[in-house]
């Protein structure tokens, strides 16, 4: 299937303010692009990209005094298949994990493994390791947190979400990631596009989404604690330890978000 997606994001600033943006499709999806992917700034300002330590594309620019709008619109090809299920995927012993995977067992800014370790082992220690344990963590998180945009705040951590039982998609991801890491299942945070393809239309404005990957059976598999079921049409933008590594935009000075529109839809076949 073909999916058309993109965004219009507008910031206001009083003075020229440097910005780093992670608004590009992840390089792992480059071969699926069917139209050019290009970020357009209005007014036009110099921009350049670099690849960070996690393989994400980061764009550097300076928002001029007054502000600017960032736009992108492109089409990507997708398999049309839901997230794969590998019920027999095993959990590796920590000593057998690849070196580049170990970092996804460690605590991070929003994922306080030290604060949730006891709770995790109490809740999931009796469940066999591997897919069954990972799915149990996802199901617990899905039912433990009440979703609502009004519950969002940039400082909320996995521990906060566990205590408050409220949050948005990134809070579902942070809590599930932390519980997985506490149980020695490597888990990494992901952000990108996820429209309502293959499900009943979702009321309300489109947004970017957060999910996570776990390392089982020698491969990374996608899980989504907010929705708790395989979905169609994920388009990855960035991944890392938590939302710190994948922030859509980071401004190095005061800036006000005054416009935010994201679109994602399947392109209908002609005729």
């Amino acid at each position: 299937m073909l999916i058309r997606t993109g965004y219009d994001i507008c910031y206001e600033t009083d003075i020229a303010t440097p910005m780093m943006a992670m608004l590009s499709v992840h390089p792992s999806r480059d071969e699926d692009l069917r139209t050019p992917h290009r970020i357009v700034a209005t007014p036009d300002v110099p921009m350049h990209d670099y690849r960070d330590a996690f393989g994400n594309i980061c764009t550097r620019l300076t928002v001029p005094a007054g502000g600017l709008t960032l736009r992108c619109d492109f089409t990507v090809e997708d398999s049309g298949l839901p997230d794969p299920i590998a019920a027999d995927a095993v959990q590796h012993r920590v000593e057998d994990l690849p070196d580049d995977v170990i970092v996804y067992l460690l605590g991070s800014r929003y994922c306080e493994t030290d604060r949730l370790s006891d709770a995790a082992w109490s809740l999931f220690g009796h469940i066999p390791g591997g897919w069954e344990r990972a799915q149990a963590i996802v199901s617990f998180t899905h039912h433990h947190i009440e979703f609502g945009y009004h519950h969002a705040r940039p400082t909320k951590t996995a521990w906060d979400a566990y205590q408050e039982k409220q949050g948005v998609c990134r809070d579902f991801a942070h809590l599930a990631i932390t519980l997985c890491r506490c149980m020695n299942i490597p888990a990494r945070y992901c952000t990108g596009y996820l429209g309502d393809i293959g499900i009943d239309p979702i009321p309300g404005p489109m947004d970017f989404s957060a999910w996570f990957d776990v390392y089982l059976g020698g491969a990374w598999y996608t899980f989504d604690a907010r929705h708790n079921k395989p979905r169609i049409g994920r388009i990855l933008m960035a991944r890392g330890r938590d939302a710190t590594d994948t922030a859509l935009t980071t401004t190095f000075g005061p800036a006000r978000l005054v416009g935010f529109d994201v679109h994602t839809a399947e392109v209908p076949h002609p005729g």
Side-chain angles (χ1 to χ4, degrees):
M1 67 167 57
L2 295 179
I3 301 173
R4 182 180 177 184
T5 192
Y7 53 80
D8 280 63
I9 301 174
C10 184
Y11 280 92
E12 286 184 351
T13 55
D14 297 323
I15 60 173
T17 305
M19 171 183 284
M20 182 182 73
M22 287 190 183
L23 292 168
S24 296
V25 170
H26 193 268
S28 61
R29 298 303 302 265
D30 281 351
E31 293 184 358
D32 299 325
L33 291 172
R34 295 298 173 262
T35 62
H37 180 286
R38 178 170 176 260
I39 300 174
V40 177
T42 305
D44 189 21
V45 296
M47 294 185 284
H48 78 269
D49 294 340
Y50 72 93
R51 191 171 297 198
D52 70 9
F54 298 97
N56 306 313
I57 301 300
C58 305
T59 302
R60 294 185 61 179
L61 65 147
T62 297
V63 181
L68 95 170
T69 298
L70 298 174
R71 295 187 176 91
C72 192
D73 185 89
F74 63 96
T75 300
V76 62
E77 185 172 347
D78 190 78
S79 68
L81 300 174
D83 305 321
I85 296 175
D88 58 349
V90 300
Q91 181 171 337
H92 298 276
R93 299 187 307 166
V94 173
E95 55 267 40
D96 295 332
L97 290 169
D99 293 342
D100 61 346
V101 173
I102 289 291
V103 67
Y104 297 109
L105 285 181
L106 305 179
S108 54
R109 164 68 178 86
Y110 291 103
C111 299
E112 312 104 314
T113 52
D114 55 338
R115 303 190 75 176
L116 282 161
S117 180
D118 289 345
W121 280 97
S122 174
L123 289 165
F124 311 110
H126 65 288
I127 299 173
W131 191 275
E132 184 178 353
R133 179 177 282 171
Q135 181 56 60
I137 290 171
V138 170
S139 296
F140 168 82
T141 305
H142 176 75
H143 293 291
H144 187 75
I145 298 178
E146 173 193 344
F147 179 86
Y149 286 112
H150 56 292
H151 300 316
R153 68 175 185 272
T155 59
K156 183 178 285 190
T157 68
W159 172 256
D160 295 332
Y162 178 71
Q163 294 291 106
E164 298 171 18
K165 302 182 181 181
Q166 297 173 329
V168 292
C169 58
R170 74 176 233 160
D171 303 308
F172 284 80
H174 282 150
L175 179 55
I177 287 169
T178 307
L179 295 172
C180 281
R181 292 177 185 173
C182 289
M183 301 307 299
N184 294 330
I185 301 174
R188 64 188 183 188
Y189 185 95
C190 302
T191 186
Y193 300 90
L194 179 62
D196 54 8
I197 299 170
I199 62 172
D200 292 335
I202 299 174
M206 173 66 191
D207 196 357
F208 293 112
S209 188
W211 60 89
F212 70 106
D213 294 336
V214 301
Y215 189 83
L216 295 170
W220 289 100
Y221 291 97
T222 294
F223 282 89
D224 188 332
R226 178 190 169 189
H227 299 104
N228 196 24
K229 61 182 179 180
R231 291 286 297 271
I232 295 170
R234 295 185 196 275
I235 304 172
L236 179 67
M237 295 169 66
R239 57 192 176 205
R241 293 165 298 181
D242 58 29
T244 302
D245 298 323
T246 62
L248 297 172
T249 58
T250 301
T251 57
F252 300 90
R256 298 175 295 278
L257 178 65
V258 295
F260 185 86
D261 178 73
V262 180
H263 61 271
T264 301
E266 182 180 0
V267 178
H269 290 286

